[in-house]
Amino acid sequence: MNRTEPLVLGIETSCDETGIGIVRGTRLLSNTIASSMEEHARYGGVVPEVAARAHLDELVPAINAAVAEAGIRLEDLDAIAVTCGPGLSGALMVGVGAAKALALALDKPIYAVNHLVGHVGADLLRTGAHSDEEPLEYPTIALLVSGGHTSLLLVRNLTSDVELLGETIDDAAGEAFDKVARVLGMLYPGGPRIDAAALTGDATAIRFPRGLSKQKDMEKHRYDFSFSGLKTSVARWVEQREDAGEPIPVNDVAASFREAVVDTLLTKAVAACVDYGVPRLLLGGGVIANARLRQVAIERTDAAGIALRIPPLSLCTDNGAMIAALGAQLIMTGHEPSSLDFGADSTLPVSQIQA
Ligand code: KG4
Ligand code: ZN
């Protein structure tokens, strides 16, 4: 096995994206993503069984497309990497099964890796405009926000030391966007729609609650998040207006809600940087597409002297390239392959980088 610049194919199926990525060391060769998002639209959120079924349909075409785009042959691979958790059980199982079959058929080693750590690994990939950037330094704080997770990590070393500082105790941030969008009569996924509506809204119109940010909560849940109270608060506000027969200022509600989410996320992320004396913050996950989140992240990290990293959006949303990148990094740092008896683990802790 080439341990200097390993050629790795990564498989990601933890949620609704079927992601296949191919990397050579830290170089991105292909990043193929098929999403079942549209199939979930009429349910207003990801339906696990629908996602798992879509992965079954999409995996082989996605692998073929990624291999063609990278201009490699499957036989050339040094290893297969796959997300084994955390995520939706049924969805994970499809990817894990496919990865094992591929590894056995090709007689290649397999690296079963942690999805959340994969999001951090995305930053390693040098592409286009980012090709001459300095590599990520450690330790770094990482804020991962998507439809499935909201986690704050302290990454001392990508392949050997990742600590969970906090996470959501109820809804994920993206889930909150999706649910509030529904309240406002918008389609799934709600994040981009709320973002667009908020553009012309007044973020100070309504003061929605910042979850787990009160003094007493900050003692016990300093780095944890909660968005379900916020969602309920928005729903109540809208309901009361409707009951009173008044029009709903959708754009103001969207902007005020977005502000509450962004404020909470960044207050806690910057607090973690300051508390741990780590002047680096990496963002990841689909919610990073949010325009206001990016803007406030720049402002607050600038003010606090924190270096901010935001990988390109195609590597922030769930994808196989980040999984391949983490697999390659494990190989390059001398880690042995996973034994074939690993399984999908929907609650895999973030400290377990490789199964
Ligand atoms: O990482 P991701 O693509 O995958 C899953 O979690 O499956 O994230 C999708 C989530 C959805 O909840 C979506 O509403 C949210 O990211 N999202 C956004 C924006 N674009 C996508 N949330 C807020 N603002 C956006 N512009
Ligand atoms: Zn993710």
Side-chain angles (χ1 to χ4, degrees), residues 192-210:
R193 289 164 172 113
I194 290 201
D195 214 10
L199 255 182
T200 51
D202 175 5
T204 61
I206 311 147
R207 172 82 192 177
F208 286 126
R210 273 67 172 156

Side-chain angles (χ1 to χ4, degrees), residues 115 119 146 149 318:
H115 175 82
H119 273 295
S146 78
H149 38 77
D318 289 350

Side-chain angles (χ1 to χ4, degrees), residues 115-279:
H115 175 82
L116 293 174
V117 183
H119 273 295
V120 182
D123 186 76
L124 292 162
L125 292 171
R126 306 271 76 90
T127 56
H130 297 255
S131 52
D132 49 3
E133 250 178 32
E134 290 295 310
L136 178 66
E137 277 181 63
Y138 299 106
T140 185
I141 299 290
L143 172 66
L144 308 177
V145 269
S146 78
H149 38 77
T150 306
S151 312
L152 201 50
L153 315 181
L154 169 56
V155 186
R156 293 191 189 85
N157 183 305
L158 183 72
T159 57
S160 63
D161 189 352
V162 182
E163 184 186 334
L164 180 71
L165 297 180
E167 63 190 337
T168 181
I169 61 167
D170 40 55
D171 293 344
E175 205 178 348
F177 270 96
D178 297 332
K179 288 180 175 172
V180 166
R182 238 177 137 174
V183 168
L184 295 176
M186 298 170 186
L187 289 173
Y188 174 85
R193 289 164 172 113
I194 290 201
D195 214 10
L199 255 182
T200 51
D202 175 5
T204 61
I206 311 147
R207 172 82 192 177
F208 286 126
R210 273 67 172 156
L212 300 180
S213 297
K214 294 209 184 84
Q215 188 71 40
K216 70 172 191 339
D217 291 324
M218 284 300 271
E219 282 160 25
K220 203 170 149 221
H221 288 290
R222 190 167 176 77
Y223 308 118
D224 289 328
F225 303 93
S226 166
F227 295 106
S228 109
L230 169 61
K231 170 202 68 193
T232 309
S233 169
V234 175
R236 287 252 165 76
W237 194 93
V238 170
E239 239 170 58
Q240 279 167 2
R241 279 275 177 140
E242 279 170 350
D243 290 349
E246 291 168 29
I248 311 295
V250 171
N251 297 7
D252 288 351
V253 175
S256 301
F257 160 74
R258 181 178 73 165
E259 200 64 20
V261 175
V262 168
D263 184 23
T264 313
L265 288 172
L266 289 168
T267 300
K268 293 191 175 230
V270 169
C273 292
V274 172
D275 296 348
Y276 284 89
V278 174

Side-chain angles (χ1 to χ4, degrees), residues 312-334:
L313 193 59
S314 58
L315 294 173
C316 277
T317 53
D318 289 350
N319 67 84
M322 68 187 195
I323 301 306
L326 177 55
Q329 209 55 214
L330 285 163
I331 296 170
M332 289 151 80
T333 48

